Amino acid sequence: MTYEMTINGKGVMSDRTIDVVNPATGETFATAPDCSREQLDHAVDSARAAFKTWKNMPIAERQAAVRKAADILAEHAGELSRLFTKEQGRPVDMAYGEIDGSASWMKAVAEMTPPVEVVEDSDAQFVETRYVPLGVICAIAPWNFPVNLAMWKVAPALVAGNTVVLKPSPFTPLCTLRIGQLFQKAFPPGVFNVITGGDDLGPMMTSHPGFAKISFTGSSATGKKVMESASKDLKRVTLELGGNDAAIVLPDVDLDEVAEKIFFGAFFNTAQICVATKRLYVHHSIYDDLRDRLAAIASATKVGDGSDQGTNLGPIQNKRQFERVMDLLDDAKNNGLTLLTGSDVPDNDGYFVPVTIVDNPPEQSRVVQEEAFGPILPMLKFDDIDDVIARANDSEYGLAGAVWSKDTDKAMDIARQIETGTVWINQNLTLRPDTPFGGHKHSGLGVENGMEGLLEYMQPQTVYLARG
Ligand code: NAD
């Protein structure tokens, strides 16, 4: 199958290609176009031309088009999920969940309408504040949730009246390219464009003068470069960046009930989730018990090729990330930390790392301080609530966190002291389309989702009408 970019409603190949590797085997199984500068210019010009009519369409028509695109995505969830597993690594049923869930998410966004506020309606004057779209959006997505995180951008940007040029990660380009083709049945030419390329394409896009705004999801290090590049011509930015989320487990929890939830809150998607639990603080009185339960779940968790039945966790998505995770693991070993390792992993060229729990490492060890983005979970003991809140907050990141306790008042009190954009109590990883999601500190700038997220694709305009 040939995967083409979609520019101005048409499939477009390029002279050069990038390889797409199956992370479960390490083998190249497809190629994707490597977008040239001229093709980027063409995509931006097409999106700018389409903006002129798209922005003036009644919002109900734009919402209907996004709903239609969501239906198309849901109809193709089976086909796309198999492709997803090949390029991303996640087991097929969970890949299906991301694609089908993205379709539902888009539909929820299509229900949102930006407000128009009448500020004054008197004999002297009429004053209203409304929201207008920005122009062409540069949407850049990562590889860990390639469909979901792209649709978080595409749906609100289009509902708001902007047009979009979307770039997936070079590690996971294929589903997005296919979605680019499929969505042409929902949108006029130029409204939604998909381009792919190697490491040069992102910077080429962020410095392109034709974009009004960049919506970026990825690492904090890259996010800083994006912001620097955007500053040259004051492009608007929304940055969804890294996290090193702490979960705090109080002594009153029922371990039978919470152990598995805590485990998958850390390791789902092979721990490649921005809001995964990445530091697990456990009260000393239940520490050994929870550690042994998590180690037992790790031993029973099947790590392997996501296209094999019964696989719970797939490989690390790409070689670069695999090497980063292995480096962190080596550092832990070299420093004599105690590692509890789960089930065996396939012995092939795939990027497999066994589920690993690090038993009470020093707070300053790299495995605690850095975002692993792989299946290595440091478990740490605490005695005192104020102390553990301070340790949880002692991070340059501020994306999400969790508190586990039967005492919900106490848990709420702790949650309110956690310096992150999202905090869960007795649950994990739950997100909804109608609430803002974003990071504090180096975890991001601005928000996605909710009315706040929609309005990030617009700017206010106040109109003053003199009367009398
Ligand atoms: P990354 O920063 O390496 O890449 C993200 C995207 O940016 C890719 O499409 C990449 O090609 C592009 N890119 C790379 N260099 C660029 C540059 N100089 N200018 C413009 N674009 C550039 O991140 P990743 O490794 O793909 O994703 C993992 C990271 O993303 C983790 O840190 C994770 O926590 C974070 N993340 C955050 C969220 C969130 O919503 N906050 C969600 C998922 C992932």
Side-chain angles (χ1 to χ4, degrees):
M1 170 140 192
T2 310
Y3 296 95
E4 295 177 329
M5 300 188 286
T6 298
I7 299 177
N8 203 28
K10 295 202 176 61
V12 176
M13 283 307 294
S14 63
D15 295 339
R16 292 177 311 167
T17 55
I18 53 170
D19 287 343
V20 187
V21 173
N22 179 342
T25 61
E27 283 164 13
T28 299
F29 72 98
T31 58
D34 189 1
C35 183
S36 67
R37 173 73 207 199
E38 292 69 32
Q39 288 171 323
L40 170 62
D41 288 343
H42 182 206
V44 176
D45 289 347
S46 309
R48 283 173 79 101
F51 178 62
K52 290 185 187 137
T53 39
W54 182 251
K55 72 173 177 181
N56 290 322
M57 248 184 181
I59 186 166
E61 286 180 31
R62 295 199 300 263
Q63 289 165 327
V66 169
R67 266 193 290 275
K68 184 170 178 191
D71 283 335
I72 294 170
L73 188 59
E75 278 160 28
H76 289 81
E79 164 207 334
L80 284 165
S81 55
R82 287 186 292 279
L83 181 61
F84 186 114
T85 298
K86 260 191 148 174
E87 67 172 341
Q88 203 276 346
R90 192 187 310 156
V92 180
D93 53 340
M94 298 173 219
Y96 187 95
E98 173 166 341
I99 293 158
D100 195 51
S102 300
S104 309
W105 197 281
M106 290 173 77
K107 284 191 178 172
V109 174
E111 295 301 310
M112 293 181 197
T113 302
V116 178
E117 190 192 351
V118 176
V119 184
E120 184 180 338
D121 186 1
S122 68
D123 292 344
Q125 62 176 353
F126 176 81
V127 181
E128 77 169 20
T129 299
R130 63 188 196 116
Y131 292 85
V132 296
L134 299 165
V136 184
I137 305 299
C138 165
I140 299 181
W143 45 260
N144 63 331
F145 280 79
V147 175
N148 177 42
L149 295 174
M151 294 309 120
W152 277 20
K153 302 180 187 313
V154 171
L158 295 182
V159 165
N162 305 280
T163 54
V164 172
V165 179
L166 167 64
K167 185 194 88 65
S169 165
F171 297 116
T172 51
L174 301 182
C175 282
T176 311
L177 287 169
R178 181 79 180 113
I179 289 168
Q181 293 169 341
L182 292 169
F183 278 11
Q184 295 315 304
K185 288 206 177 98
F187 302 117
V191 168
F192 175 55
N193 306 274
V194 175
I195 58 175
T196 52
D199 288 344
D200 296 342
L201 184 57
M204 221 198 287
M205 289 174 78
T206 59
S207 59
H208 196 293
F211 288 111
K213 176 184 172 107
I214 303 166
S215 178
F216 171 84
T217 303
S219 64
S220 297
T222 310
K224 288 171 196 172
K225 288 185 200 159
V226 168
M227 192 164 171
E228 192 180 344
S229 176
S231 73
K232 304 282 185 320
D233 48 9
L234 285 179
K235 289 187 190 80
R236 277 61 181 144
V237 288
T238 296
L239 304 174
E240 294 289 0
L241 309 178
N244 196 10
D245 296 2
I248 298 172
V249 189
L250 300 192
D252 65 355
V253 291
D254 178 347
L255 289 178
D256 286 338
E257 221 170 80
V258 304
E260 194 148 315
K261 293 180 187 162
I262 291 173
F263 181 87
F264 284 103
F267 292 110
F268 178 68
N269 201 35
T270 317
Q272 302 164 115
I273 308 188
C274 53
V275 289
T277 294
K278 293 173 185 147
R279 296 176 287 153
L280 182 61
Y281 292 98
V282 184
H283 191 264
H284 69 92
S285 62
I286 56 163
Y287 179 92
D288 289 358
D289 195 354
L290 181 57
R291 179 199 58 205
D292 295 348
R293 286 167 189 256
L294 294 181
I297 300 170
S299 297
T301 297
K302 186 175 169 216
V303 180
D305 187 328
S307 53
D308 293 343
Q309 280 272 320
T311 297
N312 303 116
L313 301 176
I316 293 286
Q317 198 282 321
N318 62 74
K319 193 163 184 225
R320 209 185 284 174
Q321 184 62 23
F322 174 74
E323 284 167 357
R324 231 178 265 160
V325 174
M326 292 311 280
D327 179 54
L328 215 48
L329 213 47
D330 286 344
D331 177 79
K333 283 181 192 156
N334 294 340
N335 283 291
L337 304 184
T338 306
L339 306 180
L340 310 172
T341 307
S343 62
D344 290 344
V345 300
D347 183 19
N348 65 4
D349 290 336
Y351 310 136
F352 291 103
V353 177
V355 172
T356 305
I357 292 161
V358 189
D359 190 2
N360 205 28
E363 193 77 31
Q364 290 313 315
S365 53
R366 278 184 60 202
V367 75
V368 179
Q369 294 298 319
E370 295 180 20
E371 179 188 37
F373 224 59
I376 315 174
L377 177 67
M379 267 185 90
L380 302 111
K381 288 183 192 176
F382 76 86
D383 301 314
D384 175 72
I385 296 285
D386 290 338
D387 172 59
V388 76
I389 293 171
R391 288 160 74 191
N393 287 337
D394 185 17
S395 169
E396 65 179 18
Y397 294 110
L399 195 56
V403 185
W404 298 85
S405 172
K406 279 192 190 141
D407 183 342
T408 48
D409 287 342
K410 193 186 223 174
M412 282 295 275
D413 181 50
I414 295 171
R416 291 187 179 119
Q417 297 179 64
I418 302 292
E419 296 164 355
T420 59
T422 301
V423 193
W424 290 288
I425 297 169
N426 298 331
Q427 57 174 327
N428 239 330
L429 308 181
T430 331
L431 293 169
R432 26 188 307 153
D434 55 357
T435 55
F437 171 79
H440 295 190
K441 303 190 241 180
H442 290 203
S443 287
L445 199 72
V447 295
E448 294 195 288
N449 308 328
M451 187 54 75
E452 293 87 340
L454 180 66
L455 294 183
E456 292 221 0
Y457 289 101
M458 310 190 85
Q459 52 197 345
Q461 180 188 52
T462 301
V463 180
Y464 292 79
L465 166 70
R467 279 177 174 156

